[in-house]
Amino acid sequence: MRKPIIAGNWKMNKNPEEGANLVKELIPLVKDAACDVVVCVPATDLYAVKQAIGDSNIHLGAQNVHFKESGAYTGEISADMLVKSGVEYVIIGHSERRQYFGETDTTVNQRVLAAVKAGLIPIICVGEKKEERIAEYTDPLVTYQTLIALTGLTAEEVSKVVIAYEPVWAIGTGLTATDEQANETIGVIRKAIAGKYGQNVADQVRIQYGGSMKPANVKGLMAQCEIDGGLIGGASLVAEDFAKVVNFDK
Ligand code: PGA
């Protein structure tokens, strides 16, 4: 009942011309996708990629958003600026932003509120570090990260967000959570949402897996009942690889 969503996270890769070319390659390969297809691109690529997307089935995403509407915040980009640039989705709270750029659960929440208010769909990233998994702290941690990120949204708004469960130890490392591990932790996240917003809302929220997801492992992960899609880093930079992930059901 939940429509799967596969999103590419290009991170700090591809200039505008390269980005537009990647999307042009992608369009014919993903035109019959049964899932929602999103590319989350660097801010400098938004215009060129939007032009390249045209009226295809690919949706445009950004990788961060500031929480203020406007003002003296040098270097930042507001939710309204993204909307007016044709953006529909925005990644919030990626572990790289938490690790390198001082992102906290509180600022994640502020960004989520600003994004939703402007009409963007946030892709909210949560996930544990290796030592946190070893210490068996994964379940309370992802519960806490998820519930703080959603604070202040109505149940109706919560039902439309996307959450990406990304175990930090699996990002860019080639290590993937096993299908069962990913499914189990995503189940924990859904249960946390059900506990606060009701089962009906939790049943609507799409929760992706992210962390070295690629053509070779997408089928197994997507066969799990709790996993509604993927947030794809490395494998989203090559059109054929990303298309194989998008067409996991073909
Ligand atoms: P990866 O990145 O697929 O390269 O592991 C995923 C992500 O960071 O979103």
Side-chain angles (χ1 to χ4, degrees):
M1 65 190 153
R2 293 182 293 268
K3 188 175 185 191
I5 174 167
I6 303 284
N9 174 12
W10 292 3
K11 309 193 180 184
M12 196 172 73
N13 295 291
K14 307 285 177 193
N15 65 36
E17 189 184 346
E18 292 165 342
N21 287 340
L22 174 55
V23 163
K24 283 179 201 155
E25 267 186 80
L26 207 51
I27 289 172
L29 302 177
V30 302
K31 67 177 178 13
D32 298 321
C35 61
D36 285 333
V37 184
V38 185
V39 288
C40 298
V41 310
T44 44
D45 294 6
L46 289 173
Y47 182 78
V49 170
K50 178 71 186 163
Q51 302 303 308
I53 284 174
D55 58 5
S56 73
N57 59 334
I58 299 176
H59 298 269
L60 186 61
Q63 298 176 10
N64 192 20
V65 60
H66 194 57
F67 32 86
K68 296 287 188 182
E69 286 182 10
S70 64
Y73 303 99
T74 302
E76 296 298 325
I77 296 175
S78 75
D80 184 59
M81 290 170 184
L82 294 179
V83 169
K84 298 281 158 50
S85 303
V87 170
E88 295 173 79
Y89 293 86
V90 59
I91 298 172
I92 296 178
H94 190 279
S95 65
E96 286 150 18
R97 297 219 60 87
R98 295 179 191 257
Q99 186 179 351
Y100 306 129
F101 303 104
E103 188 80 78
T104 66
D105 289 311
T106 306
T107 54
V108 168
N109 175 238
Q110 290 175 317
R111 291 183 211 281
V112 169
L113 293 175
V116 170
K117 190 171 168 208
L120 294 167
I121 300 177
I123 299 176
I124 304 165
C125 300
V126 301
E128 82 287 0
K129 301 193 189 91
K130 190 173 176 190
E131 59 272 24
E132 291 162 341
R133 177 160 282 269
I134 290 167
E136 297 182 4
Y137 191 52
T138 300
D139 295 1
L141 182 77
V142 297
T143 297
Y144 173 86
Q145 288 177 329
T146 303
L147 293 181
I148 293 212
L150 299 175
T151 300
L153 295 182
T154 64
E156 165 76 16
E157 288 168 336
V158 170
S159 70
K160 296 189 185 118
V161 307
V162 176
I163 293 176
Y165 166 57
E166 300 204 307
V168 180
W169 47 270
I171 295 178
T173 58
L175 297 173
T176 321
T178 64
D179 300 345
E180 293 74 23
Q181 273 174 333
N183 192 58
E184 194 186 317
T185 306
I186 290 178
V188 168
I189 294 168
R190 200 177 304 286
K191 203 165 153 209
I193 296 171
K196 183 141 179 214
Y197 299 95
Q199 192 62 48
N200 181 38
V201 169
D203 285 341
Q204 294 175 64
V205 175
R206 294 185 292 179
I207 311 181
Q208 301 171 312
Y209 168 76
S212 301
M213 197 162 170
K214 50 185 181 261
N217 58 26
V218 64
K219 275 193 168 49
L221 287 159
M222 290 304 294
Q224 300 292 319
C225 63
E226 297 287 358
I227 303 180
D228 303 318
L231 185 56
I232 321 299
S236 73
L237 298 174
V238 176
E240 275 167 23
D241 289 347
F242 189 58
K244 279 186 192 145
V245 176
V246 164
N247 295 318
F248 67 90
D249 55 339
K250 306 261 184 327

